[in-house]
Structures are given as structure tokens and as C-alpha cells.
Amino acid sequence: MYNTITGTATYTVVDIRKTFEGFESDLRMIARRTGKWTMDYVDKIFHDVIKLAEAKYLSSVSIALMDSSEKPIRAAKFIVNLQGNAMTGDRAGGNDWSNIPYTTLTIVLSYNSSWNNLTKEQQNKFQANNDFQIGWIGSRVDTTFSHLSRTVGQLYASNGHELQKQNFQ
């Protein structure tokens, strides 16, 4: 006789919010350490990001410190896994960024197929219905950050919803 055990993680909007708490802490810490964004601006970014996350429209979120020629010199990428198995995650941290002169901070949202399958009208309606705070525009930033060294960072998770942080220097 064979016993088979299967486990499927079911997560809720509360789990998504818990997962993104680590992202929010990292976002705030990076903004403070670089001095590039106000906390009011960070609040606006996080508002929009969490709305997209709750609707399961995000593939990843990247934060990059750009030099004067708009080339990333440091980055953190947060990759969404909607089918993870981790029940809990790590604490935020590892953000020893600094305020480097003549640099800017940028954030790039990468959407998944669920978002991309919406019409432009549906996307605009979603943003309007969720009171988006930022006028998001397209980006040409290469979020593979292939010219930088990558290290695996924290895994933020709650009941199978995962957000894997990768650091680039």
C-alpha cells in the first residue's frame, strides 16, 4: 500500500501583502540610504506595486541605481513566484547602498501574461479603479543586469506566495 501526500499552498491577499512587506522595507531602506526618493514618493510606488501584486499581474520588480549615462551600477530584483512552497520568509535587509553623486534611482515593473493579455482599456481601467499614484511609462532598462555580479538575497514568502530577492553589484 502506498501513501501519497500532496501539498498545495493556497494564499490570500493577506499573504501577498505579507510577502511584499519585505519588499516595502527594502524599498524604503534603499530610498533612505541613497537619498534619491522621499518617503512620500516611496508610499506612492508601494501603493501601485501592491495593487498589481494583489491582482497577480507582476512578474518582477527591479530597483536600480543608475549612473549619469543611465547604466545600472547597482540593483535589486524581486521575482514573483505564484506557485511557491515556502510558508514563511526571511527578514528584509542587505541594503548597504549609498548616496553616490550623479546617480538616480529607478524602478522597473515587469508584468506577467495576465496583465499583458488585458487590453489597453482594461489596463487603464484597473489603474483608475485602484487610484494609481505614479504615471508608469515604458522602460529600456535591461533588468537582467548582466554586466553586474548577482547574489541571491532574501526569500519573502507567506503560504506559498514567494518573492525572491536578487542583488546586483
Side-chain angles (χ1 to χ4, degrees):
M1 182 164 135
Y2 296 95
N3 291 329
T4 304
I5 299 172
T6 59
T8 57
T10 56
Y11 55 86
T12 64
V13 170
V14 172
D15 294 310
I16 294 169
R17 289 179 188 154
K18 283 181 184 176
T19 300
F20 271 83
E21 285 175 0
F23 165 79
E24 181 182 17
S25 295
D26 285 340
L27 180 66
R28 289 186 183 288
M29 197 176 308
I30 291 167
R32 280 188 192 108
R33 295 199 54 122
T34 63
K36 305 299 180 190
W37 292 335
T38 66
M39 289 304 108
D40 181 55
Y41 188 68
V42 169
D43 289 342
K44 290 176 182 181
I45 291 170
F46 186 71
H47 171 273
D48 293 358
V49 167
I50 198 65
K51 293 296 181 184
L52 288 162
E54 290 171 352
K56 302 176 187 166
Y57 286 145
L58 287 176
S59 174
S60 66
V61 180
S62 299
I63 305 166
L65 189 63
M66 312 291 280
D67 67 14
S68 59
S69 64
E70 297 191 22
K71 182 177 180 181
I73 58 174
R74 178 135 197 197
K77 185 173 187 174
F78 302 82
I79 300 168
V80 176
N81 182 1
L82 299 176
Q83 299 174 351
N85 56 20
M87 294 287 108
T88 61
D90 301 325
R91 294 181 57 139
N95 300 305
D96 58 344
W97 297 42
S98 57
N99 188 352
I100 300 170
Y102 311 109
T103 59
T104 58
L105 206 52
T106 192
I107 187 164
V108 179
L109 307 181
S110 297
Y111 304 99
N112 63 24
S113 60
S114 295
W115 175 262
N116 292 330
N117 288 335
L118 297 176
T119 65
K120 192 65 174 166
E121 182 179 306
Q122 290 170 319
Q123 291 173 356
N124 290 338
K125 186 176 179 179
F126 177 83
Q127 291 176 342
N129 289 345
N130 288 284
D131 192 29
F132 268 42
Q133 306 291 303
I134 304 291
W136 297 96
I137 59 172
S139 172
R140 295 189 186 273
V141 175
D142 177 5
T143 59
T144 64
F145 306 111
S146 58
H147 65 288
L148 300 173
S149 297
R150 179 180 65 95
T151 58
V152 175
Q154 290 83 348
L155 175 66
Y156 304 128
S158 182
N159 289 329
H161 186 273
E162 297 177 351
L163 192 61
Q164 177 66 63
K165 181 181 179 187
Q166 296 180 343
N167 296 303
F168 297 86
Q169 293 189 52

